[in-house]
Amino acid sequence: MTPQNLPHGQETILVVDNELAVRRITQRALEGLGYTVLTAADGAEALAVLEIEGDAIALVLTDVLMPGMNGVTLYRRVRERGFRVPVVFMSAHAEPIRRELGFERNFGILGKPWATADLALAVREALDS
């Protein structure tokens, strides 16, 4: 797929990753696809952003392995607080996530490292489901 053929959008996405370089690369890629991007360096910061921004956030895109609160715990806390926003996990290890979350819905998995086309498709699929 060429960049102009990739799915685009205008929604607001919260990117959560403890690595600054990953946050910046992901932010640039998503903004290039038309999205508004907010970022958080960890799960606690992500929850604070969700509390402030609320329904403005259409999707949470989070790393799984982070110090403190990992991505799966963040997912559970998001649900516990009543947010129904879809979550996409970025991970090189998808199967442990699938096993831990079982048949829960409203989450997706994007393999790491990702190509922009994979990112665009995973985000659009999660937003449209």
Side-chain angles (χ1 to χ4, degrees):
M1 274 185 198
T2 61
Q4 56 270 31
N5 291 338
L6 294 175
H8 287 65
Q10 298 178 341
E11 295 91 344
T12 298
I13 298 173
L14 174 58
V15 174
V16 187
D17 199 298
N18 60 300
E19 293 185 40
L20 178 60
V22 173
R23 285 195 312 273
R24 285 184 177 164
I25 290 167
T26 306
Q27 181 175 7
R28 276 194 298 264
L30 291 168
E31 287 173 346
L33 296 167
Y35 298 101
T36 299
V37 179
L38 304 174
T39 63
D42 58 34
E45 188 178 337
L47 289 173
V49 171
L50 275 164
E51 291 292 338
I52 293 166
E53 298 296 331
D55 292 338
I57 297 174
L59 175 75
V60 175
L61 179 62
T62 184
D63 190 17
V64 173
L65 299 177
M66 297 183 291
M69 184 187 312
N70 68 32
V72 173
T73 301
L74 171 61
Y75 172 86
R76 288 191 171 128
R77 297 246 172 97
V78 165
R79 295 291 173 260
E80 288 167 2
R81 292 182 183 202
F83 296 106
R84 296 294 160 229
V85 60
V87 174
V88 174
F89 296 103
M90 295 183 286
S91 177
H93 309 287
E95 278 315 304
I97 299 165
R98 289 187 210 287
R99 279 195 304 274
E100 188 165 346
L101 294 177
F103 293 103
E104 292 185 43
R105 298 286 182 254
N106 218 12
F107 77 89
I109 300 172
L110 173 63
K112 267 180 144 180
W114 47 260
T116 302
D118 297 329
L119 174 68
L121 292 170
V123 164
R124 196 69 252 159
E125 181 179 317
L127 288 168
D128 291 344
S129 64

